[in-house]
Amino acid sequence: MNAEHASAALITRYVRGEDLADDVVWALESHLETCAACRGALAEVDTPGTLSALESVWTRLEPELAQTAPAPRRRAAWLRTWVTPVMLPWLLMALLVIVAAVAMDRMWRGDGGISFVRLCAPVLPVLGVAAAWTRGVDPAYELIAATPKAGLYLVLRRTTAVLAVVFPLLLIAQWLTGSAIAMTLLPGLAFTSGTLALGGIIGMARAAYTLIGLWAAIVVLPTVAFQREASLLGEQWVPLWATVLAVTAVIVVLRRGAFTRLSARRW
């Protein structure tokens, strides 16, 4: 496949179902989505029995199609690769959590007191990341998972959609409460990457619940109990969070194949 169009030989092999490498299939199908010329070439490829089968199907469907009103064009179909139906209510919930955290900071936070925004920030994106690729909450899961773009590519795309909404909200919250930007966003990135890394082993939803539970037990409960700022969110811990982010990101890349082979029970 050259820089502009797929070769006729490659398109013919694809139509006939010949054995092609996964990366070649992925590249070809991605190209076909945007290239009308190659889609036209695809339609012209003939295989034994193709035309007769098409004529047979068309003969049966033509009377029914003539009596059926055309469906309205779905202009936002491309959004399915970025979001799932469950992500909108989750994002609304995230907004409410941030508003509540800001309100509690304004009402009860004194000098050296607890910042609820900083306590929530690291794990706020985690459930959204889990919702981005979980079988039980996406009605189109089987359809999307069967595409060549499934796997890490799709997980990262949907994760980006979550972060693109959550992080601006957190930036506004930290500006309103005076929290440090690095300690609002960097732990959140580390937990997001950690969820992806652990999700490739035990499943995204289980990874999210595990990390949230650990954060609550190790940081949130002691912080609230002793009424002092969480030590792990101090500026001296920035190198640690950066290291966690880097290590988990490497794990995600090295185990990228796990996102295309995970069984249904692990999501």
Side-chain angles (χ1 to χ4, degrees):
M1 188 166 65
N2 59 36
E4 295 182 357
H5 299 292
S7 67
L10 177 59
I11 292 177
T12 301
R13 292 181 61 194
Y14 173 76
V15 172
R16 293 180 177 176
E18 296 183 15
D19 188 21
L20 294 173
D22 291 341
D23 57 340
V24 174
V25 174
W26 183 91
L28 177 59
E29 294 192 352
S30 298
H31 177 73
L32 289 171
E33 291 180 0
T34 58
C35 181
C38 287
R39 290 198 300 270
L42 179 73
E44 294 175 358
V45 177
D46 186 22
T47 58
T50 300
L51 292 179
S52 61
L54 288 175
E55 290 177 359
S56 176
V57 172
W58 181 251
T59 300
R60 295 196 305 268
L61 290 180
E62 188 173 17
E64 297 181 14
L65 293 176
Q67 300 175 3
T68 303
R73 184 178 179 182
R74 305 188 69 175
R75 299 181 182 272
W78 61 273
L79 285 174
R80 295 175 188 173
T81 59
W82 287 92
V83 298
T84 67
V86 76
M87 288 174 66
L88 179 58
W90 179 88
L91 291 173
L92 293 176
M93 181 194 71
L95 175 61
L96 293 177
V97 170
I98 293 175
V99 171
V102 171
M104 287 189 289
D105 273 17
R106 288 293 185 88
M107 288 188 293
W108 294 313
R109 184 184 180 190
D111 295 335
I114 301 172
S115 171
F116 293 96
V117 171
R118 294 176 71 181
L119 281 178
C120 295
V123 295
L124 196 59
V126 169
L127 287 179
V129 173
W133 187 250
T134 302
R135 184 185 187 95
V137 297
D138 187 357
Y141 176 89
E142 288 79 5
L143 179 63
I144 298 297
T147 64
K149 290 185 179 181
L152 182 59
Y153 173 85
L154 183 60
V155 170
L156 291 181
R157 174 175 283 200
R158 290 183 170 180
T159 299
T160 300
V162 170
L163 298 182
V165 175
V166 173
F167 277 2
L169 295 177
L170 288 175
L171 283 173
I172 295 173
Q174 68 83 28
W175 175 71
L176 292 173
T177 58
S179 301
I181 295 178
M183 298 319 300
T184 301
L185 302 183
L186 187 58
L189 285 174
F191 266 93
T192 299
S193 183
T195 301
L196 295 177
L198 187 59
I201 301 173
I202 65 174
M204 207 70 73
R206 292 179 183 177
Y209 299 146
T210 298
L211 293 180
I212 290 175
L214 289 174
W215 179 254
I218 296 175
V219 177
V220 176
L221 292 180
T223 297
V224 174
F226 293 103
Q227 291 295 304
R228 55 178 173 78
E229 192 62 79
S231 59
L232 283 177
L233 294 178
E235 294 183 0
Q236 69 273 20
W237 294 102
V238 169
L240 172 64
W241 289 113
T243 301
V244 171
L245 174 60
V247 170
T248 52
V250 170
I251 293 174
V252 170
V253 173
L254 293 178
R255 290 186 49 84
R256 57 186 178 275
F259 294 96
T260 59
R261 295 192 300 268
L262 286 177
S263 60
R265 64 181 177 82
R266 292 166 66 180
W267 289 92

PDB file of all heavy atoms in Angstrom, residues 133 135 138 140-151 154 158 259-260 262:
ATOM      1  N   TRP A 133     -13.898   1.219  28.437  1.00  0.00           N
ATOM      2  CA  TRP A 133     -13.677  -0.065  27.755  1.00  0.00           C
ATOM      3  C   TRP A 133     -14.115  -1.198  28.671  1.00  0.00           C
ATOM      4  O   TRP A 133     -13.309  -1.967  29.179  1.00  0.00           O
ATOM      5  CB  TRP A 133     -12.215  -0.212  27.366  1.00  0.00           C
ATOM      6  CG  TRP A 133     -11.905  -1.411  26.529  1.00  0.00           C
ATOM      7  CD1 TRP A 133     -11.194  -2.514  26.919  1.00  0.00           C
ATOM      8  CD2 TRP A 133     -12.286  -1.666  25.175  1.00  0.00           C
ATOM      9  NE1 TRP A 133     -11.113  -3.416  25.895  1.00  0.00           N
ATOM     10  CE2 TRP A 133     -11.770  -2.917  24.810  1.00  0.00           C
ATOM     11  CE3 TRP A 133     -13.028  -0.940  24.241  1.00  0.00           C
ATOM     12  CZ2 TRP A 133     -11.978  -3.472  23.538  1.00  0.00           C
ATOM     13  CZ3 TRP A 133     -13.214  -1.484  22.987  1.00  0.00           C
ATOM     14  CH2 TRP A 133     -12.691  -2.735  22.652  1.00  0.00           C
ATOM     15  N   ARG A 135     -17.106  -4.257  28.917  1.00  0.00           N
ATOM     16  CA  ARG A 135     -18.119  -4.973  28.148  1.00  0.00           C
ATOM     17  C   ARG A 135     -19.533  -4.708  28.648  1.00  0.00           C
ATOM     18  O   ARG A 135     -20.462  -4.491  27.869  1.00  0.00           O
ATOM     19  CB  ARG A 135     -17.816  -6.473  28.213  1.00  0.00           C
ATOM     20  CG  ARG A 135     -18.756  -7.333  27.376  1.00  0.00           C
ATOM     21  CD  ARG A 135     -18.461  -8.808  27.602  1.00  0.00           C
ATOM     22  NE  ARG A 135     -19.229  -9.646  26.710  1.00  0.00           N
ATOM     23  CZ  ARG A 135     -18.801 -10.108  25.555  1.00  0.00           C
ATOM     24  NH1 ARG A 135     -17.594  -9.792  25.144  1.00  0.00           N
ATOM     25  NH2 ARG A 135     -19.548 -10.863  24.786  1.00  0.00           N
ATOM     26  N   ASP A 138     -21.192  -1.044  27.562  1.00  0.00           N
ATOM     27  CA  ASP A 138     -21.171  -0.545  26.191  1.00  0.00           C
ATOM     28  C   ASP A 138     -22.025  -1.444  25.307  1.00  0.00           C
ATOM     29  O   ASP A 138     -21.636  -2.565  24.984  1.00  0.00           O
ATOM     30  CB  ASP A 138     -19.733  -0.511  25.666  1.00  0.00           C
ATOM     31  CG  ASP A 138     -19.635   0.164  24.304  1.00  0.00           C
ATOM     32  OD1 ASP A 138     -20.691   0.543  23.759  1.00  0.00           O
ATOM     33  OD2 ASP A 138     -18.511   0.303  23.783  1.00  0.00           O
ATOM     34  N   ALA A 140     -22.510  -1.433  22.243  1.00  0.00           N
ATOM     35  CA  ALA A 140     -21.860  -1.733  20.964  1.00  0.00           C
ATOM     36  C   ALA A 140     -20.495  -2.382  21.161  1.00  0.00           C
ATOM     37  O   ALA A 140     -19.663  -2.361  20.257  1.00  0.00           O
ATOM     38  CB  ALA A 140     -21.723  -0.453  20.139  1.00  0.00           C
ATOM     39  N   TYR A 141     -20.279  -2.983  22.332  1.00  0.00           N
ATOM     40  CA  TYR A 141     -18.949  -3.526  22.637  1.00  0.00           C
ATOM     41  C   TYR A 141     -18.495  -4.551  21.603  1.00  0.00           C
ATOM     42  O   TYR A 141     -17.377  -4.486  21.092  1.00  0.00           O
ATOM     43  CB  TYR A 141     -18.968  -4.162  24.029  1.00  0.00           C
ATOM     44  CG  TYR A 141     -17.663  -4.840  24.393  1.00  0.00           C
ATOM     45  CD1 TYR A 141     -16.643  -4.129  25.011  1.00  0.00           C
ATOM     46  CD2 TYR A 141     -17.443  -6.186  24.117  1.00  0.00           C
ATOM     47  CE1 TYR A 141     -15.447  -4.733  25.345  1.00  0.00           C
ATOM     48  CE2 TYR A 141     -16.243  -6.794  24.437  1.00  0.00           C
ATOM     49  CZ  TYR A 141     -15.258  -6.073  25.047  1.00  0.00           C
ATOM     50  OH  TYR A 141     -14.073  -6.675  25.365  1.00  0.00           O
ATOM     51  N   GLU A 142     -19.360  -5.536  21.290  1.00  0.00           N
ATOM     52  CA  GLU A 142     -18.946  -6.591  20.354  1.00  0.00           C
ATOM     53  C   GLU A 142     -18.615  -6.021  18.986  1.00  0.00           C
ATOM     54  O   GLU A 142     -17.648  -6.435  18.341  1.00  0.00           O
ATOM     55  CB  GLU A 142     -20.046  -7.657  20.223  1.00  0.00           C
ATOM     56  CG  GLU A 142     -20.215  -8.556  21.439  1.00  0.00           C
ATOM     57  CD  GLU A 142     -21.007  -7.887  22.553  1.00  0.00           C
ATOM     58  OE1 GLU A 142     -21.504  -6.760  22.330  1.00  0.00           O
ATOM     59  OE2 GLU A 142     -21.118  -8.477  23.635  1.00  0.00           O
ATOM     60  N   LEU A 143     -19.415  -5.044  18.539  1.00  0.00           N
ATOM     61  CA  LEU A 143     -19.182  -4.438  17.231  1.00  0.00           C
ATOM     62  C   LEU A 143     -17.861  -3.679  17.210  1.00  0.00           C
ATOM     63  O   LEU A 143     -17.063  -3.818  16.280  1.00  0.00           O
ATOM     64  CB  LEU A 143     -20.340  -3.497  16.883  1.00  0.00           C
ATOM     65  CG  LEU A 143     -20.245  -2.745  15.547  1.00  0.00           C
ATOM     66  CD1 LEU A 143     -20.248  -3.739  14.397  1.00  0.00           C
ATOM     67  CD2 LEU A 143     -21.388  -1.763  15.410  1.00  0.00           C
ATOM     68  N   ILE A 144     -17.616  -2.873  18.239  1.00  0.00           N
ATOM     69  CA  ILE A 144     -16.385  -2.084  18.288  1.00  0.00           C
ATOM     70  C   ILE A 144     -15.169  -2.967  18.507  1.00  0.00           C
ATOM     71  O   ILE A 144     -14.119  -2.782  17.891  1.00  0.00           O
ATOM     72  CB  ILE A 144     -16.483  -1.025  19.407  1.00  0.00           C
ATOM     73  CG1 ILE A 144     -17.633  -0.055  19.116  1.00  0.00           C
ATOM     74  CG2 ILE A 144     -15.186  -0.262  19.534  1.00  0.00           C
ATOM     75  CD1 ILE A 144     -17.473   0.748  17.851  1.00  0.00           C
ATOM     76  N   ALA A 145     -15.307  -3.984  19.381  1.00  0.00           N
ATOM     77  CA  ALA A 145     -14.172  -4.847  19.700  1.00  0.00           C
ATOM     78  C   ALA A 145     -13.718  -5.675  18.510  1.00  0.00           C
ATOM     79  O   ALA A 145     -12.577  -6.134  18.460  1.00  0.00           O
ATOM     80  CB  ALA A 145     -14.531  -5.773  20.865  1.00  0.00           C
ATOM     81  N   ALA A 146     -14.610  -5.871  17.541  1.00  0.00           N
ATOM     82  CA  ALA A 146     -14.263  -6.685  16.376  1.00  0.00           C
ATOM     83  C   ALA A 146     -13.541  -5.890  15.297  1.00  0.00           C
ATOM     84  O   ALA A 146     -13.072  -6.474  14.324  1.00  0.00           O
ATOM     85  CB  ALA A 146     -15.529  -7.306  15.787  1.00  0.00           C
ATOM     86  N   THR A 147     -13.431  -4.582  15.455  1.00  0.00           N
ATOM     87  CA  THR A 147     -12.780  -3.769  14.436  1.00  0.00           C
ATOM     88  C   THR A 147     -11.268  -3.831  14.600  1.00  0.00           C
ATOM     89  O   THR A 147     -10.757  -4.077  15.697  1.00  0.00           O
ATOM     90  CB  THR A 147     -13.231  -2.304  14.546  1.00  0.00           C
ATOM     91  OG1 THR A 147     -12.793  -1.779  15.807  1.00  0.00           O
ATOM     92  CG2 THR A 147     -14.742  -2.197  14.458  1.00  0.00           C
ATOM     93  N   PRO A 148     -10.516  -3.592  13.516  1.00  0.00           N
ATOM     94  CA  PRO A 148      -9.055  -3.618  13.615  1.00  0.00           C
ATOM     95  C   PRO A 148      -8.498  -2.549  14.552  1.00  0.00           C
ATOM     96  O   PRO A 148      -7.381  -2.684  15.036  1.00  0.00           O
ATOM     97  CB  PRO A 148      -8.601  -3.369  12.164  1.00  0.00           C
ATOM     98  CG  PRO A 148      -9.751  -3.792  11.329  1.00  0.00           C
ATOM     99  CD  PRO A 148     -10.970  -3.460  12.121  1.00  0.00           C
ATOM    100  N   LYS A 149      -9.263  -1.484  14.808  1.00  0.00           N
ATOM    101  CA  LYS A 149      -8.776  -0.411  15.674  1.00  0.00           C
ATOM    102  C   LYS A 149      -9.047  -0.688  17.146  1.00  0.00           C
ATOM    103  O   LYS A 149      -8.767   0.160  17.988  1.00  0.00           O
ATOM    104  CB  LYS A 149      -9.432   0.913  15.271  1.00  0.00           C
ATOM    105  CG  LYS A 149      -8.950   1.437  13.930  1.00  0.00           C
ATOM    106  CD  LYS A 149      -9.538   2.805  13.647  1.00  0.00           C
ATOM    107  CE  LYS A 149      -9.038   3.357  12.330  1.00  0.00           C
ATOM    108  NZ  LYS A 149      -9.581   4.702  12.040  1.00  0.00           N
ATOM    109  N   ALA A 150      -9.604  -1.845  17.459  1.00  0.00           N
ATOM    110  CA  ALA A 150      -9.853  -2.175  18.861  1.00  0.00           C
ATOM    111  C   ALA A 150      -8.525  -2.423  19.565  1.00  0.00           C
ATOM    112  O   ALA A 150      -7.472  -2.486  18.955  1.00  0.00           O
ATOM    113  CB  ALA A 150     -10.756  -3.399  18.960  1.00  0.00           C
ATOM    114  N   GLY A 151      -8.612  -2.602  20.875  1.00  0.00           N
ATOM    115  CA  GLY A 151      -7.390  -2.830  21.629  1.00  0.00           C
ATOM    116  C   GLY A 151      -6.849  -1.541  22.203  1.00  0.00           C
ATOM    117  O   GLY A 151      -7.591  -0.622  22.549  1.00  0.00           O
ATOM    118  N   LEU A 154      -7.999   1.925  20.762  1.00  0.00           N
ATOM    119  CA  LEU A 154      -9.320   2.387  21.178  1.00  0.00           C
ATOM    120  C   LEU A 154      -9.332   2.774  22.648  1.00  0.00           C
ATOM    121  O   LEU A 154      -9.953   3.768  23.041  1.00  0.00           O
ATOM    122  CB  LEU A 154     -10.359   1.298  20.903  1.00  0.00           C
ATOM    123  CG  LEU A 154     -11.809   1.651  21.221  1.00  0.00           C
ATOM    124  CD1 LEU A 154     -12.252   2.852  20.397  1.00  0.00           C
ATOM    125  CD2 LEU A 154     -12.714   0.464  20.934  1.00  0.00           C
ATOM    126  N   ARG A 158     -10.367   6.539  23.992  1.00  0.00           N
ATOM    127  CA  ARG A 158     -11.445   6.814  24.949  1.00  0.00           C
ATOM    128  C   ARG A 158     -10.907   7.374  26.259  1.00  0.00           C
ATOM    129  O   ARG A 158     -11.560   8.192  26.910  1.00  0.00           O
ATOM    130  CB  ARG A 158     -12.253   5.541  25.193  1.00  0.00           C
ATOM    131  CG  ARG A 158     -13.081   5.134  23.974  1.00  0.00           C
ATOM    132  CD  ARG A 158     -13.933   3.918  24.239  1.00  0.00           C
ATOM    133  NE  ARG A 158     -14.872   3.687  23.147  1.00  0.00           N
ATOM    134  CZ  ARG A 158     -15.728   2.691  23.112  1.00  0.00           C
ATOM    135  NH1 ARG A 158     -15.777   1.819  24.108  1.00  0.00           N
ATOM    136  NH2 ARG A 158     -16.548   2.542  22.083  1.00  0.00           N
ATOM    137  N   PHE A 259      -4.633  -5.962  25.336  1.00  0.00           N
ATOM    138  CA  PHE A 259      -5.899  -5.256  25.167  1.00  0.00           C
ATOM    139  C   PHE A 259      -6.702  -5.794  23.997  1.00  0.00           C
ATOM    140  O   PHE A 259      -7.874  -5.454  23.841  1.00  0.00           O
ATOM    141  CB  PHE A 259      -5.648  -3.764  24.981  1.00  0.00           C
ATOM    142  CG  PHE A 259      -5.065  -3.106  26.195  1.00  0.00           C
ATOM    143  CD1 PHE A 259      -3.699  -2.930  26.310  1.00  0.00           C
ATOM    144  CD2 PHE A 259      -5.880  -2.690  27.231  1.00  0.00           C
ATOM    145  CE1 PHE A 259      -3.150  -2.332  27.438  1.00  0.00           C
ATOM    146  CE2 PHE A 259      -5.343  -2.097  28.355  1.00  0.00           C
ATOM    147  CZ  PHE A 259      -3.977  -1.916  28.464  1.00  0.00           C
ATOM    148  N   THR A 260      -6.106  -6.616  23.162  1.00  0.00           N
ATOM    149  CA  THR A 260      -6.844  -7.240  22.059  1.00  0.00           C
ATOM    150  C   THR A 260      -7.155  -8.698  22.332  1.00  0.00           C
ATOM    151  O   THR A 260      -7.897  -9.324  21.589  1.00  0.00           O
ATOM    152  CB  THR A 260      -6.037  -7.158  20.746  1.00  0.00           C
ATOM    153  OG1 THR A 260      -4.773  -7.830  20.921  1.00  0.00           O
ATOM    154  CG2 THR A 260      -5.793  -5.704  20.372  1.00  0.00           C
ATOM    155  N   LEU A 262      -7.978  -9.859  25.686  1.00  0.00           N
ATOM    156  CA  LEU A 262      -8.664 -10.046  26.962  1.00  0.00           C
ATOM    157  C   LEU A 262     -10.001 -10.733  26.741  1.00  0.00           C
ATOM    158  O   LEU A 262     -10.761 -10.402  25.842  1.00  0.00           O
ATOM    159  CB  LEU A 262      -8.903  -8.704  27.633  1.00  0.00           C
ATOM    160  CG  LEU A 262      -7.655  -8.060  28.245  1.00  0.00           C
ATOM    161  CD1 LEU A 262      -8.007  -6.701  28.801  1.00  0.00           C
ATOM    162  CD2 LEU A 262      -7.053  -8.919  29.327  1.00  0.00           C
TER     163      LEU A 262
END
